[in-house]
Amino acid sequence: MLALLRLPTATFARSFPRRPARLTTPALCRASHTQNLVEKIVQQYAVDLPEGYKVKSGDYVTIQPEHVLTHDNTGAVIPKFNTIGATQFRSPRQPVFALDHDVQNKTEKNLTKYAKIESFAHQHGIDFYPAGRGIGHQIMIEEGYAFPSTLTVASDSHSNMYGGVGCLGTPVVRTDAASIWATGRTWWQVPPVVKVELRGSLPTGVTGKDVIVTLCGLFNRDEVLNTAIEFHGSGIRELGVEDRLAIANMTTEWGALVGLFPADEVTVAWLKSRVRRLELEHLAHPNPNFAPTPPGHFFTHPRVNDRRIDALVSDPLRAEDGASYAKHLVLDLSTLSPHVSGPNSVKIATSLAKLEAQEVKIHKAYLVSCVNSRAGDIRQAAEVMRGRKVKEGVEFYIAAASSEVQREVEESGDWEVLVEAGARVLPAGCGPCIGLGTGLLQDGEVGISATNRNFKGRMGSLKALAYLASPAVVAASAIAGKIASPASLLNSSFSPSTSPTPAFSIVTTGEGASQAEAVKEDALPGFPDVISGELVFCHADNLNTDGIYPGKYTYVDDLGPEEMRKVVMENYDKEFAGLIKKSDILVGGFNFGSGSSREQAATALLSCGIPILLAGSFSDIFKRNSINNALLLLESARLVEDLRREVGTGALTTRTGWHAEIKAGEGIVKVTKADGKEVVYRVGRLGRSVQELWLAGGLEEWVKERL
């Protein structure tokens, strides 16, 4: 794999590194570049760099991550691993398997799938966590796979959460996971880095969840889309690790690929407390992935231990003075109040005080998920619910983020408070957050949840409304039967129902992005000179992967192309499958493919016979999945705006009557409109790296050729 490749910003080929190429002299003369924290961590995990080279935003690098997590989708990665011809793992200590998504499913089919994954893990000596142990991301934090100043990836979009403990976590897709299993490596383009400065202190009753809900609502025009976020400022010291984890987790919904806090004294104190807790856990609930402790020896956790903590303290990793950032956002924490996200969008954030006045009746409430179901979250909910009952007619569902979390709150008595109040207990896992199992929203229902995603239809019916809030607000709402503030139940413990205006600012510096100039390259032999077809327009912005390929099919691993074609876009437009034809060219809006990392969002479109997809812009994870599966992508904001103006947005999906001839290797899209008028759009070229993957039939075949 190529160690590093600089591509022009105008070139769409933000994809897979090519075979080793000669770097230009200017690229090798950047040793004086001052690095931010993201770049410094990547520097440690980038392999085969030229001597003295300093990684910078925009670089394509080959990375060898500390760990890679797969969950239920391990069942889909295994055949990819086998298909590419791999017979053993490059490093068995690198992968982690954790079953967490469909844990309520007790059908023979799902249990057989889980058993096969466990058997595969034991066969290859991979760390394995069974259903019921908890959500994979929480396990990665608890067990130290995500450790400060390291780089760890996951085949799941919420790997951003690792940034809460100072670990650079970022999502990869299933094909990448198979590549890492086989080679230990994958590719990554270092994103533009945004500095988010948090000032001041949170008022009483305002939580990390309120911080990220507010950020998603204030900066809701894709200001941080496909960037890496670094948190800075005096306000960080006031945030505990659980608040940081919640904020980092939902930087995914904000549009970022990384949400990174620095490792500081708060992190170190938390790690030291983890050492003690893990020693106690080992006595009562030993981790089966560990070798037995020899008689007469003290147990030492292999990843969370005093030696690693001391090394972290003695040699801290920090952004350098004068480091470059693409943007600088500032938020004054002292001006925040509790906020609620929705309905059905994280880009809508309303102060709790305003929403409470609207008397929004709810039917279901949820305290589940990897963002807000840790011990501190459950304690906040218990403080609100102690001595009270869930409102008649409301269903309140709870699931701890992990079995360890549940034991901790059972020991403190907080779990029992929720159960006595009328909560319905679910196993530690994802469950209703991703639309699986018990308690999903039905037609016409309204739900409020301490989860991270409220896309239309994600938690159940497309005809339901979903709001997101902090655990305390969710608990208060379950008691009141409507969206409500804990202030009405708890006097001085929570902020009064006021809604000051958050103080914030944003500066775009233009630094930290690749400034390379376009480089002319010849197309590879066999790559098509022209791709032609009728344009089919799906105008919606932020069309997420739930809309493209519904979550209820995501873990049905034996769904073939023909079946996928029938359900593609089902949550967006049920008419789509009947409108699309083979060789049509699909055109989407902006930030197409946002949301989860499910690979089928790309492969389902391929199953329709779509050769190439255009959009105003793409979500980075969707882009990665598409390129890895040989689905070609091009971006043209001008084409999208022309279609909106001339064809319109009256229908969710429109056969436009416009025909396109695309010279992808040259970056030219020639469109003949319905009236015969021709227009030429200039787009980014599909460079040789993308062409190479397309000719190979995707990343799996590319890796297979090189094993």
Side-chain angles (χ1 to χ4, degrees):
M1 281 189 185
L2 176 66
L4 179 146
L5 175 65
R6 301 282 292 169
L7 290 179
T9 52
T11 299
F12 176 74
R14 300 167 185 172
S15 55
F16 197 85
R18 290 177 274 171
R19 295 167 186 155
R22 184 162 52 93
L23 288 166
T24 61
T25 301
L28 290 173
C29 295
R30 291 217 317 249
S32 62
H33 168 65
T34 52
Q35 291 180 312
N36 51 52
L37 183 57
V38 168
E39 292 166 342
K40 293 193 79 168
I41 293 177
V42 175
Q43 184 82 37
Q44 298 183 124
Y45 287 87
V47 297
D48 300 329
L49 293 174
E51 184 176 355
Y53 189 85
K54 297 185 76 171
V55 170
K56 189 179 189 296
S57 288
D59 286 344
Y60 284 84
V61 291
T62 300
I63 56 170
Q64 188 166 302
E66 190 91 359
H67 294 286
V68 54
L69 167 72
T70 53
H71 44 70
D72 292 33
N73 59 13
T74 307
V77 179
I78 290 172
K80 290 181 178 292
F81 179 75
N82 293 331
T83 299
I84 62 179
T87 57
Q88 60 184 7
F89 282 68
R90 176 66 177 80
S91 175
R93 296 276 63 81
Q94 192 178 27
V96 182
F97 298 171
L99 303 180
D100 60 5
H101 273 52
D102 204 12
V103 296
Q104 297 179 46
N105 185 351
K106 303 300 182 182
T107 63
E108 182 179 353
K109 182 177 181 179
N110 195 55
L111 294 177
T112 299
K113 169 183 171 178
Y114 278 9
K116 288 180 178 178
I117 293 172
E118 182 173 10
S119 175
F120 183 79
H122 294 328
Q123 175 189 346
H124 292 279
I126 308 301
D127 284 5
F128 172 80
Y129 295 89
R133 171 60 180 86
I135 300 173
H137 298 307
Q138 179 68 16
I139 293 169
M140 297 293 279
I141 298 294
E142 290 177 353
E143 296 290 344
Y145 297 105
F147 196 84
S149 301
T150 66
L151 189 159
T152 284
V153 302
S155 183
D156 187 275
S157 57
H158 285 110
S159 48
N160 291 30
M161 186 178 98
Y162 311 155
V165 294
C167 169
L168 197 163
T170 195
V172 295
V173 295
R174 299 173 181 187
T175 307
D176 292 308
S179 175
I180 295 171
W181 291 2
T183 68
R185 304 177 178 188
T186 191
W187 63 275
W188 198 54
Q189 184 185 24
V190 186
V193 182
V194 174
K195 181 179 182 178
V196 175
E197 184 180 352
L198 303 178
R199 298 175 180 173
S201 301
L202 288 176
T204 301
V206 182
T207 69
K209 184 62 165 288
D210 297 305
V211 173
I212 190 60
V213 165
T214 301
L215 285 169
C216 288
L218 287 176
F219 303 102
N220 60 3
R221 297 182 180 273
D222 297 335
E223 290 91 342
V224 300
L225 180 64
N226 296 334
T227 67
I229 291 172
E230 276 187 26
F231 290 99
H232 292 255
S234 59
I236 289 177
R237 294 192 298 271
E238 309 300 320
L239 297 172
V241 167
E242 289 198 0
D243 277 332
R244 296 181 186 191
L245 290 169
I247 294 169
N249 182 293
M250 278 191 65
T251 58
T252 300
E253 280 64 42
W254 198 12
L257 302 172
V258 174
L260 182 64
F261 282 85
D264 57 10
E265 62 274 12
V266 174
T267 317
V268 170
W270 176 82
L271 284 169
K272 290 180 177 178
S273 71
R274 288 296 303 155
V275 171
R276 308 289 91 82
R277 178 74 195 190
L278 287 167
E279 289 172 350
L280 295 174
E281 281 287 324
H282 181 73
L283 292 175
H285 306 279
N287 189 327
N289 295 299
F290 298 164
T293 303
H297 289 71
F298 290 106
F299 166 73
T300 300
H301 195 282
R303 290 171 297 277
V304 186
N305 53 61
D306 291 328
R307 178 185 57 79
R308 284 191 92 188
I309 297 171
D310 290 343
L312 184 68
V313 172
S314 63
D315 188 21
L317 206 58
R318 297 280 188 268
E320 297 176 13
D321 292 338
S324 298
Y325 296 94
K327 295 178 183 178
H328 182 187
L329 280 61
V330 178
L331 181 67
D332 185 347
L333 298 180
S334 66
T335 65
L336 300 190
S337 65
H339 271 65
V340 177
S341 172
N344 293 358
S345 174
V346 295
K347 294 193 173 190
I348 303 170
T350 307
S351 71
L352 177 60
K354 291 181 179 178
L355 207 56
E356 188 174 28
Q358 297 176 19
E359 299 281 328
V360 180
K361 181 182 177 181
I362 67 164
H363 303 87
K364 291 185 172 78
Y366 307 87
L367 179 50
V368 301
S369 87
C370 56
V371 65
N372 268 142
S373 200
R374 282 173 279 278
D377 302 316
I378 293 169
R379 291 191 188 101
Q380 290 174 21
E383 182 179 355
V384 175
M385 287 196 142
R386 187 168 280 108
R388 300 176 175 87
K389 295 291 184 182
V390 173
K391 181 80 170 182
E392 185 177 354
V394 173
E395 298 173 17
F396 178 43
Y397 295 92
I398 61 172
S402 73
S403 56
E404 182 193 313
V405 167
Q406 185 165 337
R407 285 192 293 271
E408 183 177 344
V409 291
E410 285 175 345
E411 292 166 7
S412 67
D414 294 299
W415 188 257
E416 187 61 27
V417 169
L418 302 183
V419 173
E420 289 182 352
R424 305 184 184 196
V425 177
L426 300 175
C430 301
C433 177
I434 53 166
L436 293 173
T438 301
L440 304 187
L441 291 172
Q442 304 300 312
D443 287 359
E445 289 188 332
V446 177
I448 187 165
S449 178
T451 52
N452 44 33
R453 219 165 251 175
N454 59 349
F455 301 147
K456 183 179 180 181
R458 176 173 173 87
M459 297 184 68
S461 171
L462 290 166
K463 298 179 181 179
L465 298 178
Y467 293 86
L468 306 179
S470 69
V473 172
V474 169
S477 301
I479 293 168
K482 60 183 180 179
I483 295 179
S485 168
S488 59
L489 303 174
L490 304 168
N491 297 321
S492 60
S493 295
F494 285 82
S495 295
S497 296
T498 57
S499 54
T501 302
F504 65 94
S505 65
I506 179 171
V507 176
T508 301
T509 66
E511 299 177 358
S514 171
Q515 301 298 321
E517 296 180 357
V519 179
K520 183 176 177 60
E521 296 181 89
D522 294 329
L524 294 175
F527 191 79
D529 293 327
V530 177
I531 300 171
S532 60
E534 182 180 353
L535 299 184
V536 176
F537 188 38
C538 293
H539 64 82
D541 292 339
N542 306 301
L543 178 51
N544 60 70
T545 51
D546 286 297
I548 300 168
Y549 192 78
K552 61 186 176 182
Y553 306 118
T554 302
Y555 300 103
V556 183
D557 295 335
D558 57 357
L559 210 63
E562 184 59 29
E563 289 78 12
M564 294 175 77
R565 188 190 67 76
K566 294 175 182 177
V567 302
V568 66
M569 294 285 196
E570 186 177 279
N571 277 356
Y572 168 69
D573 181 4
K574 291 184 181 297
E575 305 299 320
F576 180 89
L579 289 171
I580 199 74
K581 299 177 182 178
K582 186 177 181 180
S583 299
D584 282 340
I585 297 171
L586 181 64
V587 183
F590 291 85
N591 194 24
F592 187 95
S594 61
S596 75
S597 61
R598 68 192 59 161
E599 191 173 45
Q600 297 99 319
T603 56
L605 291 172
L606 276 172
S607 74
C608 297
I610 296 170
I612 191 166
L613 173 60
L614 287 85
S617 61
F618 293 97
S619 161
D620 195 80
I621 298 178
F622 176 81
K623 187 188 301 182
R624 191 175 190 101
N625 269 322
S626 298
I627 294 171
N628 281 352
N629 283 281
L631 174 60
L632 300 174
L633 306 179
L634 289 171
E635 296 180 345
S636 176
R638 181 182 159 214
L639 173 60
V640 172
E641 296 300 344
D642 284 355
L643 284 167
R644 286 177 172 172
R645 183 176 60 256
E646 299 182 38
V647 175
T649 58
L652 293 173
T653 306
T654 304
R655 297 197 64 86
T656 65
W658 293 18
H659 290 265
E661 291 184 358
I662 301 174
K663 297 181 179 180
E666 298 180 29
I668 295 174
V669 178
K670 186 175 76 172
V671 173
T672 303
K673 300 182 180 180
D675 60 4
K677 181 181 178 181
E678 292 186 355
V679 180
V680 174
Y681 299 88
R682 300 294 306 191
V683 297
R685 296 175 57 258
L686 293 184
R688 292 171 64 90
S689 51
V690 177
Q691 295 177 31
E692 192 172 272
L693 274 182
W694 186 88
L695 288 167
L699 177 59
E700 288 182 46
E701 296 301 316
W702 191 96
V703 172
K704 186 190 300 185
E705 292 172 0
R706 287 154 179 80
L707 279 179

